[in-house]
Amino acid sequence: MTQSFSINGKAPSTLNNYLRCLAHLALHYKQSPETLSVENIEDYLYFCQKQHLTPSESFFKHTIFGLRAAYKVMGMEAKRVVLPQIKRDQKLPTVLSQQEVKRLLKAPKYLKHRLILGILYGCGLRSYELCDLKLSDIDFDRRTVFIAKKKGKVDRYVPLSVHLVRGLKKYIETENPYLYLFNSQVTKDGNPRGLTTNGIRWIIKENRSKIGCNKKVTAHMLRHSFATHLLEYGIDLVSLKELLGHAHIEMTLTYLHVANLPSKAKFSPLDKLYV
């Protein structure tokens, strides 16, 4: 039986592609990639660009990734650093309409589940940020939620909707959560543990079929919808960046391509054809 393996989480099929690219490099110079100079590697990458016309070509990318992985394993950091960076293809996020969000928030049977979905959308949180929320992070008087720094390397406050305030007060009074806003099962030592991302995925999976849309609803789609809807309501980009906890404004600019803004209203020419 062949034993499967992986490096840095890469599947065997991906690793085979990397090894194939390394073999091409070795055959090109008739020597091991380990012994090649930086100039040799740059010449070969230039050759790949010209041969395959574009640096985004799959062969070129896999050559870069294969070399990067190989030099990391061999501890040859200097050669790894000089390799060019490959920009990832930027896909536009899929968002829910406001009506779809309404239907999703009404779908769960239990108040706790409705609140979990409501905070994901109403506060624009990442899944792990919701899981880490403590009772002490909620300020009902100021109607804010404190998000401790993690991704993005910055603490932030996000506004708490009046609808969530009412629901959370009722939930806390009836369920009496401890330490975390949403508790999961306790640890073996009896210590409280926060909600898990798997728990969030389960709640969404149980309810997304009830809203009557063909979109594959995820927790991050609710965050995308939060950002897009705020832009459509007129919030400025800098404020949105702060609410999302983005490290760079370029990440926030993506939502300009998704939002239906009044100043850039889009329409089909077919709508004008029969006017």
Side-chain angles (χ1 to χ4, degrees), residues 46-60:
Y46 179 77
F47 166 76
C48 288
Q49 281 185 320
K50 293 303 178 184
Q51 184 182 36
H52 296 274
L53 301 180
T54 168
S56 64
E57 176 71 6
S58 178
F59 182 88
F60 181 81

Side-chain angles (χ1 to χ4, degrees), residues 109-157:
K109 178 181 178 181
Y110 301 106
L111 173 62
K112 178 180 179 180
H113 294 175
R114 292 199 296 271
L115 288 170
I116 287 170
L117 297 181
I119 291 177
L120 284 171
Y121 170 73
C123 299
L125 302 191
R126 304 174 177 96
S127 289
Y128 68 80
E129 291 175 336
L130 177 57
C131 294
D132 290 343
L133 273 188
K134 308 284 197 308
L135 285 166
S136 57
D137 295 328
I138 309 299
D139 188 331
F140 288 125
D141 293 333
R142 297 181 63 234
R143 285 187 15 219
T144 58
V145 179
F146 174 72
I147 312 298
K149 64 182 177 182
K150 198 168 185 180
K151 189 173 182 178
K153 310 296 183 186
V154 62
D155 293 337
R156 72 187 194 276
Y157 285 93

Side-chain angles (χ1 to χ4, degrees), residues 39 117 119 123 194 228-229 267 275:
E39 290 76 15
L117 297 181
I119 291 177
C123 299
T228 303
H229 295 169
F267 60 89
V275 173

